[in-house]
Amino acid sequence: MVRGQAHKSSSILLVDNIQDHVDQLSGMLTDAGYLVHAVSSYVQACHRLDSQFYDLVLLSWQIPSAQEVALQICDHFHDTELLVMTGEARPEEAVEAMRLGAYDYLHKNGCRDNIIQAVNRCLGCQAPSDIRSERKIFSRHAFDMRDFVGHSQAMQEVFRLIHKVAATDATVLIMGESGTGKELAARAIHHLSRRCSRPLIPVNCGAIPEDLLESELFGHERGAFTGAVKSRMGRFELAEGGTVFLDEIAEMSPMLQVKLLRVLQDHCFERIGGVRTIDVDIRIIAATNQNLKQAVKKNRFREDLYYRLNVVPMLLPPLRERRSDIPFLCDHFMKQLNRRPGMNRLRIHSDTLELLTRYDWPGNVRELENLLERMVVLADGPVLEPGDLPAHMLSSLGETARAKSPQSRLISLEVPEDGVDFNAQVDAYERVLITQALERTGWVKNQAAALLRLNRTTLVEKIKKKGLTRPMASS
């Protein structure tokens, strides 16, 4: 079906095990012009989806194995939309459904008009004001709740808070170390809010020079300064009706802090060089990896602005405080990497996964994602072995890593009945030996070559071939 066409040809699979709900929903959707088939279980839903195409699955989150149905649809039936019906309006149900990939959620006991409107919107039958089209126009990139991975208690609390605050226009201050997913949280809030059809405009306050940041935020009039040959809208105007995400807010200059305070309080501003007051309807979400309370005490951040931003504080936990999420994150990133063109389909050895779980991850989720990409690119075999981990990580993990290393395993290795990848095993063994020799000698190649009884040129060639690099010294 082409989005925006009449919805009378659209087919819906209704998955619900309560007959009263099935009868009621089937009747109202049929009256609205949809073709409706109803099933009551996970097995029946999978059988239907395998045998027939559906434009939309309307899934009750209260049936057994509802999550498995959602995962099947999101992973294997990419042209089928998913709309989830929750029971009592529990925020954790809605957040979990959206995180798995549902387009939207609704309360199954809601009024008829709300349910029909949700189905129409999901199938794109309100063009040209279709919400999905507007998202494509205004968003920098599409947001997928499945990218926000977190099964730990700490992350479930974050998801619950995201859902609660998304239902309001309250200003949010997201705090956390670099790489914990602050922008992802901001996108989730926007995605779940009433402003989701309007733009989300991210601004990195630390990456834009101060003299340019003011123009980026507020815009300027023609002739306001040298080079201003025409009037230009700022980010606040571009985000009309939507959300502005101010990342690294602590880097904003005191002068701009004053101007931002006015936007928060009065929802208006003037362009640079302008005299006309511009009213805006926007929501502001700010983020920082610094302690703003300390910045206020040191007079580096305005106290009044701090309290105006800190209406709803949200703290994202570092990865080392939610280690139980690491296997799920690894699975998520590996699926993404394996789908990329030119990438080999690899898996992570259980020993490697255990070491990844033990590591402290100073760069948090971003460091984990980048490390897995590096390992996949450089891997020689179909499995990411402990020896494929970078030297600095093996060193920091100490005896645990060495016990899991290919060296210790190879000493007592027995060839299994189905055979073994000889070259991969030898390569992994070489990696560990070379890495240990380099670390023991402070990366002095002459001394490392002597320890290994190799010519220096041979060692250098192996280091280059295996992509071994000296870890950066920690500050």
Side-chain angles (χ1 to χ4, degrees), residues 8 34 92 99 101 117-118 128 140 192 197 214 220 271 293 304 320-321 353 427 437:
K8 294 184 184 297
Y34 290 107
E92 58 268 25
R99 189 184 63 76
Q117 286 176 11
R140 289 293 183 88
L192 294 172
S197 64
E214 182 178 8
H220 61 256
R271 292 180 183 173
K293 284 187 177 180
D304 49 2
R320 62 183 174 275
E321 293 181 6
L353 189 60
D427 178 71

Side-chain angles (χ1 to χ4, degrees), residues 61-111:
W61 205 243
Q62 295 173 304
I63 71 162
S65 303
Q67 289 190 13
E68 284 77 4
V69 177
L71 286 170
Q72 282 286 330
I73 294 166
C74 295
D75 286 346
H76 302 293
F77 301 95
H78 303 295
D79 293 328
T80 298
E81 298 289 359
L82 173 63
L83 194 59
V84 166
M85 301 178 294
T86 63
E88 297 303 318
R90 296 172 59 197
E92 58 268 25
E93 285 186 353
V95 171
E96 177 67 10
M98 297 289 283
R99 189 184 63 76
L100 289 173
Y103 176 82
D104 205 346
Y105 72 95
L106 53 90
H107 195 288
K108 66 160 59 178
N109 293 323
C111 71

Side-chain angles (χ1 to χ4, degrees), residues 45 49 190 197 217 235 254 287:
L49 288 167
H190 176 77
S197 64
L217 291 175
R235 304 288 180 94

Side-chain angles (χ1 to χ4, degrees), residues 1 77 101 148 195 247 268 273 399:
M1 183 188 73
F77 301 95
F148 214 158
R195 299 177 179 270
D247 198 7
C268 64
E399 292 301 323

Side-chain angles (χ1 to χ4, degrees), residues 25-215:
L25 289 168
S26 296
M28 79 170 62
L29 292 170
T30 301
D31 291 344
Y34 290 107
L35 303 175
V36 183
H37 293 134
V39 296
S40 60
S41 70
Y42 166 65
V43 173
Q44 290 174 338
C46 291
H47 177 73
R48 277 283 189 175
L49 288 167
D50 284 334
S51 60
Q52 181 178 342
F53 171 77
Y54 289 93
D55 296 289
L56 169 69
V57 173
L58 194 55
L59 170 66
S60 170
W61 205 243
Q62 295 173 304
I63 71 162
S65 303
Q67 289 190 13
E68 284 77 4
V69 177
L71 286 170
Q72 282 286 330
I73 294 166
C74 295
D75 286 346
H76 302 293
F77 301 95
H78 303 295
D79 293 328
T80 298
E81 298 289 359
L82 173 63
L83 194 59
V84 166
M85 301 178 294
T86 63
E88 297 303 318
R90 296 172 59 197
E92 58 268 25
E93 285 186 353
V95 171
E96 177 67 10
M98 297 289 283
R99 189 184 63 76
L100 289 173
Y103 176 82
D104 205 346
Y105 72 95
L106 53 90
H107 195 288
K108 66 160 59 178
N109 293 323
C111 71
R112 179 187 186 281
D113 288 344
N114 287 345
I115 293 174
I116 296 299
Q117 286 176 11
V119 172
N120 288 345
R121 186 169 65 247
C122 185
L123 290 173
C125 301
Q126 293 180 334
S129 60
D130 174 27
I131 285 181
R132 182 173 292 266
S133 298
E134 290 182 346
R135 281 180 181 159
K136 291 180 179 178
I137 293 170
F138 291 114
S139 296
R140 289 293 183 88
H141 54 77
F143 178 79
D144 190 337
M145 282 296 293
R146 288 172 294 177
D147 290 334
F148 214 158
V149 178
H151 292 70
S152 63
Q153 183 62 37
M155 287 307 296
Q156 290 303 311
E157 291 297 328
V158 170
F159 293 147
R160 277 191 280 271
L161 181 56
I162 285 173
H163 184 272
K164 288 181 180 179
V165 76
T168 74
D169 274 343
T171 303
V172 184
L173 179 61
I174 305 174
M175 297 166 285
E177 297 177 7
S178 294
T180 50
K182 294 186 289 295
E183 183 170 349
L184 204 59
R187 290 188 177 278
I189 293 170
H190 176 77
H191 179 75
L192 294 172
S193 75
R194 68 177 181 85
R195 299 177 179 270
C196 63
S197 64
R198 303 301 299 167
L200 168 67
I201 305 292
V203 182
N204 190 321
C205 300
I208 304 174
E210 179 184 345
D211 54 341
L212 295 179
L213 182 58
E214 182 178 8
S215 176

